[in-house]
Amino acid sequence: MSKGLPKRSEDYSLWYNELVKRADLAENSPVRGCMVIKPYGFSIWEKMQAQLDKMFKETGHQNAYFPLFIPKSYLSKEASHVEGFAKECAVVTHYRLKNSEDGKEVVIDPDAKLEEELIIRPTSETVIWSTYKNWIQSYRDLPLLVNQWANVVRWEMRTRLFLRTAEFLWQEGHTAHATKQEAVDEAVQMMEVYAAFAEQYMAVPVVRGIKSENERFAGAEDTYCIEALMQDGKALQAGTSHFLGQNFAKAFDVKFATKEGGLEYVWGTSWGVSTRLMGALIMAHSDDNGLVLPPKLAPNQVVIVPIYRGDEELAKISEKAKEIMTKLRSKGITVHFDNRDTHKPGWKFAEYELKGVPLRIAMGPRDLENNTIELARRDTLSKETVNLSEVNLEDYIFDKLEEIQNSIYTKALSFRKEMTTEVNSWEEFKEILESKGGFISAHWDGTGETEDKIKELTKATIRCIPIDREDEDGQCVFSGKPSKGRVLFAKAY
RNA sequence: CGGGGUGUAGCGUAGCCCGGUAUCGCGCCACAUUUGGGAUGUGGAGGUCGUAGGUUCGAAUCCUGCCACCCCGACCA
């Protein structure tokens, strides 16, 4: 295996693919489009899950689990929902295998055909709303605030590790409310939860916005989203939160008795983030040396590498390392002491850089003598010597981790600012998109036709209508028709 | 699903045009010397050449089908 990673500037997508594999995050599986998430990659996902789960619970949600299989007929109950997902559903038609005539292989037993085929969930709105029908009778049963952590399958044509896989892991929240306003508030709240998570934990700045009709979730009235910008100037939808109106309530006949004695359909939301966040995390911060992980999501925040000759020296360093580990752990810092004798220090340095460990402590005989350590920062690749008799190491490291967390966020934010361009003419639009990429802030006449044409001509789509956009009269960058504000265009993942 | 490309050891590859049982590097195993930025030497293990068939005395090499993967389109979180 060669040493260097491909360069981002030379082949960004090759760099990404190689990085995912070499950093031990994930690999392809025997089944096309599926992936094996390796322990290191999964431990990052677990950190994400833990934090998100906490945030969901703090906003009043409870976890539940709904089945993987959905009766085929359910999917067709909400018209636009079927249309959106029908083309990418895996279908179970049989429930038994048997040995072939020659006994050499197993074949589907034709006698075991299901009366009604089962869909492997591409998302769970249908099965959940069919269940909610039984759970909801009165306004007293509302709001119903449920989340589930699950896998879903969408049979995609072209897949990429984490960014788009046929099977992926996610969470999907499904809520039911008595009033429209309450449901809208819920959808907005969850978008804000996602945004806070992305910014504070992943250190990825995001634009909060609303999807245009073309980009909206199949079955939703409004789709709120968070959009992030990757280092190659392409946008990535990192999370969506949908206001479903009464669409699913009507499709599955979910009504409730109001306080006043009436009978009304409930209002719904659904919202999700997936293992795609891993892709966002990787592409937002990492460099040509490997991953750069934000301390808040790094499986190990600090690694200690001993430098020694012989067992005696290792024993001395180990003793010191254990002291340091105890101190760091007392501050809640996760630390790993790599005392493997099978690899040399230089090899380990490269390895932990590839894996994005935020801080590395190296300790050798010189350090023992001087009561120092060498501290290396992954994000800046800078090194310093820290004198242990001069500082309180656990506080020093704690602060340093926070500094790294902030620093990579700030770096990503200034990149996004630099890569967001306001344009006012079609010529400029095309020019910027080709030469620079990134987000293009431009006026749009609000029609799907214009959006389609722009997509056809440039491959750029409307990523969102930013929540905080300013009202500004202008003319659509493509059609010249009147517009009331700017939207963000970009080429997207 | 359309167009293009590629399948040779765990990974990356040479050989294919011009047929004679496979090259090199990384990795792996053993031993020794090494250890402050991916160590070095010596020895060793590992291959139904994607798969099925055809041509031939003989196929990694030529022909046909199939499968998988990659890139570009259509679709999508």
Side-chain angles (χ1 to χ4, degrees):
Chain A
M1 183 116 35
S2 65
K3 288 174 188 172
L5 211 52
K7 301 264 177 287
R8 282 169 298 174
S9 56
E10 284 167 15
D11 190 336
Y12 193 83
S13 76
L14 183 65
W15 166 81
Y16 174 83
N17 291 338
E18 284 296 306
L19 177 52
V20 168
K21 287 178 202 158
R22 293 219 210 153
D24 274 337
L25 301 177
E27 60 190 36
N28 285 303
S29 80
V31 179
R32 175 189 158 80
C34 293
M35 66 176 161
V36 175
I37 305 176
K38 299 180 76 177
Y40 191 63
F42 201 80
S43 64
I44 298 171
W45 174 242
E46 281 178 318
K47 290 218 138 193
M48 291 184 170
Q49 275 187 302
Q51 181 55 36
L52 285 165
D53 201 63
K54 191 174 162 221
M55 294 168 96
F56 298 155
K57 290 185 177 147
E58 281 168 358
T59 43
H61 303 86
Q62 288 184 297
N63 284 333
Y65 186 78
F66 292 85
L68 172 69
F69 300 120
I70 297 176
K72 195 181 72 181
S73 58
Y74 280 29
L75 205 69
S76 53
K77 292 196 179 178
E78 211 288 328
S80 59
H81 191 68
V82 207
E83 205 183 312
F85 288 106
K87 288 165 298 199
E88 49 190 48
C89 284
V91 185
V92 179
T93 56
H94 292 76
Y95 59 85
R96 193 194 300 145
L97 297 171
K98 63 174 187 180
N99 287 321
S100 60
E101 298 288 313
D102 61 12
K104 283 182 179 164
E105 52 181 347
V106 283
V107 296
I108 292 168
D109 184 342
D111 295 337
K113 193 170 180 351
L114 288 169
E115 272 192 25
E116 180 177 2
E117 290 92 346
L118 300 172
I119 309 297
I120 299 180
R121 62 180 166 216
T123 179
S124 305
E125 273 77 4
T126 57
V127 64
I128 287 179
W129 280 91
S130 76
T131 308
Y132 280 4
K133 178 179 165 55
N134 300 322
W135 290 4
I136 298 169
Q137 273 100 41
S138 149
Y139 71 92
R140 293 194 181 100
D141 299 322
L142 298 172
L144 184 55
L145 306 172
V146 174
N147 175 64
Q148 83 164 342
W149 289 95
N151 58 338
V152 288
V153 169
R154 297 181 188 174
W155 214 263
E156 301 287 351
M157 293 296 184
R158 292 186 63 190
T159 58
R160 292 189 71 191
L161 293 170
F162 291 118
L163 296 174
R164 178 168 297 109
T165 46
E167 180 194 12
F168 56 92
L169 305 184
W170 78 344
Q171 58 67 218
E172 43 180 328
H174 297 273
T175 70
H177 307 264
T179 66
K180 177 178 179 181
Q181 189 57 47
E182 202 183 302
V184 170
D185 289 348
E186 165 77 5
V188 171
Q189 170 185 247
M190 296 323 289
M191 173 192 68
E192 288 295 344
V193 165
Y194 289 153
F197 174 76
E199 295 183 340
Q200 291 165 29
Y201 289 83
M202 295 171 66
V204 174
V206 293
V207 177
R208 297 150 173 79
I210 302 179
K211 286 292 184 187
S212 65
E213 195 178 338
N214 284 1
E215 299 281 325
R216 187 186 294 162
F217 174 72
E221 300 272 305
D222 266 316
T223 289
Y224 299 89
C225 63
I226 56 170
E227 292 284 327
L229 190 66
M230 303 296 101
Q231 291 182 67
D232 61 347
K234 285 169 81 174
L236 182 90
Q237 177 176 306
T240 49
S241 179
H242 315 291
F243 166 59
L244 301 173
Q246 294 174 311
N247 292 344
F248 285 90
K250 285 177 181 164
F252 289 89
D253 194 34
V254 186
K255 292 178 192 162
F256 73 104
T258 64
K259 229 179 241 182
E260 295 74 28
L263 199 57
E264 287 177 15
Y265 288 112
V266 304
W267 300 83
T269 81
S270 66
W271 29 274
V273 292
S274 70
T275 36
R276 188 178 225 211
L277 288 179
M278 293 286 292
L281 186 70
I282 297 158
M283 288 199 290
H285 306 304
S286 303
D287 62 23
D288 291 348
N289 295 305
L291 277 182
V292 173
L293 294 175
K296 285 187 184 172
L297 295 177
N300 282 308
Q301 294 170 314
V302 179
V303 63
I304 303 175
V305 177
I307 294 153
Y308 60 94
R309 295 166 194 264
D311 291 344
E312 206 177 305
E313 222 165 71
L314 176 61
K316 281 187 199 159
I317 293 168
S318 294
E319 201 182 318
K320 190 88 179 181
K322 277 172 191 158
E323 273 173 41
I324 291 176
M325 284 196 286
T326 307
K327 283 185 188 171
L328 296 183
R329 284 175 181 154
S330 74
K331 294 280 283 184
I333 297 164
T334 51
V335 53
H336 172 65
F337 177 45
D338 187 352
N339 61 355
R340 286 179 297 175
D341 195 36
T342 49
H343 297 284
K344 292 180 53 167
W347 189 93
K348 292 177 184 173
F349 293 173
E351 177 75 1
Y352 291 114
E353 260 157 36
L354 182 61
K355 293 196 165 185
V357 179
L359 283 175
R360 181 186 73 230
I361 292 173
M363 260 198 310
R366 279 207 309 265
D367 295 301
L368 279 187
E369 215 171 288
N370 304 327
N371 198 29
T372 57
I373 54 155
E374 181 192 80
L375 188 63
R377 233 176 107 154
R378 175 60 186 90
D379 64 326
T380 55
L381 295 170
S382 57
K383 287 193 271 200
E384 62 179 316
T385 301
V386 178
N387 192 323
L388 298 179
S389 40
E390 286 170 10
V391 300
N392 189 349
L393 188 65
E394 60 269 36
D395 292 335
Y396 190 79
I397 299 266
F398 188 90
D399 293 345
K400 191 65 85 178
L401 288 169
E402 208 164 73
E403 188 186 326
I404 293 170
Q405 181 82 30
N406 293 334
S407 168
I408 60 178
Y409 174 77
T410 306
K411 190 177 166 195
L413 181 61
S414 56
F415 175 78
R416 191 190 74 194
K417 282 182 180 159
E418 192 184 303
M419 292 293 281
T420 303
T421 315
E422 278 198 6
V423 311
N424 294 305
S425 74
W426 181 237
E427 283 311 309
E428 207 185 344
F429 185 103
K430 286 188 292 187
E431 215 285 308
I432 294 290
L433 192 69
E434 273 316 301
S435 62
K436 183 177 171 187
F439 283 127
I440 294 182
S441 177
H443 280 283
W444 167 57
D445 62 21
T447 68
E449 295 79 62
T450 296
E451 188 178 357
D452 284 340
K453 285 209 179 103
I454 292 176
K455 184 178 179 183
E456 195 184 313
L457 292 168
T458 65
K459 291 180 193 165
T461 50
I462 296 176
R463 298 325 304 152
C464 70
I465 302 154
I467 289 281
D468 60 359
R469 78 163 175 184
E470 285 161 24
D471 289 338
E472 175 188 297
D473 286 325
Q475 291 178 323
C476 175
V477 75
F478 185 76
S479 69
K481 290 179 191 160
S483 150
K484 288 194 174 140
R486 292 174 183 274
V487 300
L488 288 182
F489 288 87
K491 289 186 189 169
Y493 275 97

